[in-house]
Amino acid sequence: MSEHVKDAGHVKDTAHAASAAYPLGLRLAGRRVVVLGGGQVAQRRLPALIAAGADILLVSPSATPSVEAMAEAGELRWERRGYRDGDFAAAWYALISTDDPEVNAAASAEAEARRVWCVRSDDAEAASAWTPATGRSEGVTVAVLTGRDPRRSAAVRDAIIEGLRDGTLPAPHHRARTTGVALVGGGPGDPDLITVRGRRLLAEADVVIADRL
């Protein structure tokens, strides 16, 4: 094999690795998370960070009414100013969502230097982490990443959540499961008329007993 072909293969593998992401669930309870910018992006992302129990520092001169309400409720700490070098000290995770590309680039560089996982709303390729499209159903958290296509991520997430809810996508419990018996009626007899809960119970059942009715 020629050196040219070897180099081409290496470049291809490197490009693929750069566009791939390793899925991981971060446990942020009590850990410092820094959010730069108090606009619509922060408004969408903050509730999940709050639910995770993160110790959130918001750095932004202004914020949307919803974000401001979170601060007033004590769900996060808000410093009403712009970004300063050193804001990511002791942080575990950072969300950069200001409307100034230069500020975002400088903050991203600090996060990289401090080895803080960082999401950028303006330039996903320059970030060290990506935010998946997430949803919850029946105690299951679904997180979907499709690279540069957030709408597809959201569509796949919605399809999975809907499948979990209506029983078309079985997700049986294997740990800490309670045992019991459920009666699922056949209704008028058309299989398509089964209830949503009935379909889910059948999908999760270990044993199904059917009579002639």
Side-chain angles (χ1 to χ4, degrees):
M1 182 182 292
S2 69
E3 290 299 322
H4 175 73
V5 174
K6 289 181 180 178
D7 290 343
H10 176 71
V11 170
K12 182 178 180 181
D13 291 342
T14 301
H16 173 72
S19 64
Y22 182 80
L24 181 68
L26 296 180
R27 301 178 65 188
L28 295 174
R31 296 185 169 97
R32 187 180 190 193
V33 172
V34 180
V35 177
L36 300 184
Q40 294 295 326
V41 174
Q43 180 175 308
R44 292 196 306 270
R45 303 301 182 195
L46 280 169
L49 292 172
I50 292 170
D55 176 19
I56 304 168
L57 170 63
L58 172 66
V59 177
S60 179
S62 60
T64 67
S66 294
V67 173
E68 189 169 354
M70 297 177 201
E72 291 176 351
E75 296 176 318
L76 55 87
R77 291 177 293 117
W78 180 16
E79 295 190 7
R80 305 188 186 209
R81 59 175 176 81
Y83 162 75
R84 293 197 297 253
D85 185 46
D87 278 341
F88 293 156
W92 291 71
Y93 178 75
L95 170 61
I96 299 174
S97 60
T98 80
D99 56 5
D100 188 332
E102 292 185 2
V103 170
N104 293 345
S108 182
E110 182 192 346
E112 185 72 18
R114 293 183 181 274
R115 299 184 178 182
V116 177
W117 293 112
C118 169
V119 172
R120 282 183 62 172
S121 64
D122 64 330
D123 188 354
E125 292 301 318
S128 59
W130 294 335
T131 303
T134 59
R136 287 185 63 81
S137 177
E138 298 293 330
V140 176
T141 297
V142 175
V144 180
L145 284 171
T146 57
R148 303 177 184 178
D149 192 347
R151 290 186 179 181
R152 186 184 182 200
S153 296
V156 173
R157 173 205 59 198
D158 292 344
I160 295 173
I161 292 297
E162 182 63 23
L164 291 172
R165 287 174 177 168
D166 66 17
T168 56
L169 182 61
H173 299 271
H174 295 292
R175 294 184 180 180
R177 182 177 180 176
T178 58
T179 59
V181 176
L183 299 179
V184 179
D190 189 333
D192 289 334
L193 296 179
I194 188 173
T195 64
V196 171
R197 184 168 184 269
R199 179 179 291 178
R200 178 174 58 79
L201 289 172
L202 286 174
E204 295 178 353
D206 294 316
V207 178
V208 176
I209 301 175
D211 63 17
R212 288 182 296 176
L213 296 178

